[in-house]
Amino acid sequence: MQITVSGLPGSGTTTLSRLLSEYYELELVSSGEIFRRMAKERGMNLGDFGAMAEKDPSIDLDIDKNQKSIIHTQDNLILESRLAGHMAEGVPNVLKIWIKAPLLTRVKRIQRREKTISFDEELAKTVEREKSEALRYKNYYGIDITDLSIYDIVIDSEKWNQYQTLDILRVAIDALVGPE
């Protein structure tokens, strides 16, 4: 089984990937965690590190090359990143999931997770980060991150909590691969 989970910041991709990984006993590879760790190692926040990545394509290209290699060579895993579905292009039988949520909901989640000072500051940072990422994806790969047509499942995480969303995804996954 191979599953990709993608979505914009604060949509719940990491939480749902962890829950799916635990339920199906699959290895989880999270590029967002890698990106955050790289920013922290450099003493930078995500916005500043994203701006640096705009100027230094090797950062994104290395992460993406790693993702592509993993999804093309390993089974029984969940690959979680903004571009995971795209990195799985050409790999048969990969279930591609996109988790979405409205901007304001996502910003509230990020603010709660990051314990940032104000909603308005987090909103501005998130909008800037998403513009930066969208520009890089377009420039590097010709990918329009707003085009969800490659995904098998698109689910709105604002409508259900993480466990309800997990239940919905489990029904869909089990219908494809059979229950444990």
Side-chain angles (χ1 to χ4, degrees), residues 5 29 55 58 63 88 93 101 104 114 129 154 157 163-164:
V5 180
V29 177
K55 295 177 181 75
S58 69
I63 291 171
N93 304 317
L104 299 182
E114 304 294 331
R129 176 181 173 195
V154 176
S157 66
Y163 301 107
Q164 294 165 328

Side-chain angles (χ1 to χ4, degrees), residues 95-119:
L95 179 65
K96 299 174 188 172
I97 301 168
W98 180 269
I99 308 296
K100 69 176 193 163
L103 175 62
L104 299 182
T105 298
R106 294 186 295 105
V107 170
K108 286 177 191 171
R109 291 174 180 171
I110 295 167
Q111 184 185 23
R112 191 170 49 244
R113 177 184 71 210
E114 304 294 331
K115 297 173 180 48
T116 51
I117 300 166
S118 81
F119 179 84

